C-alpha cells in the first residue's frame, strides 16, 4: 500500500495500537490499499483482529 494514498494513515495506526498494543492487527483493503482512495468520495475498509478480551476496550475507544 502507498502510505501517501491516505493522509491519516499514521493516526489510524496510532488509534488502534494505543491501548490495544501489538496484540491487534489492522488491515486496510479496497481503494485505500490499491492507491485509488479519494478523500471526498471513498470510504475506508478495515479488518481489525484482536483478542476476545480486547473487544470491550476497542468498543470504548471507538465510541469516544
Amino acid at each position: 500500500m502507498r502510505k501517501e494514498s491516505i493522509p491519516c494513515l499514521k493516526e489510524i495506526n496510532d488509534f488502534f495500537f494505543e491501548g490495544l498494543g501489538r496484540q491487534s492487527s489492522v488491515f486496510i483493503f479496497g481503494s485505500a490499499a490499491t492507491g485509488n482512495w479519494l478523500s471526498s468520495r471513498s470510504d475506508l475498509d478495515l479488518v481489525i483482529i484482536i483478542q476476545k478480551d480486547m473487544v470491550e476496550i476497542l468498543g470504548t475507544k471507538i465510541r469516544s
Side-chain angles (χ1 to χ4, degrees):
M1 184 172 90
R2 291 181 245 158
K3 290 184 180 182
E4 67 274 13
S5 64
I6 306 172
C8 58
L9 189 59
K10 181 181 178 341
E11 290 82 1
I12 292 168
N13 185 59
D14 292 347
F15 176 83
F16 286 106
F17 287 121
E18 183 181 300
L20 297 176
R22 296 289 170 189
Q23 298 174 347
S24 62
S25 295
V26 178
F27 298 93
I28 299 174
F29 64 99
S31 61
T34 63
N36 298 318
W37 188 81
L38 300 171
S39 63
S40 60
R41 299 188 58 184
S42 299
D43 61 353
L44 188 56
D45 302 306
L46 301 173
V47 172
I48 306 161
I49 300 174
I50 59 174
Q51 293 180 348
K52 187 175 183 178
D53 61 339
M54 302 297 279
V55 170
E56 189 172 328
I57 293 170
L58 178 60
T60 300
K61 281 188 70 58
I62 290 172
R63 285 189 294 273
S64 59

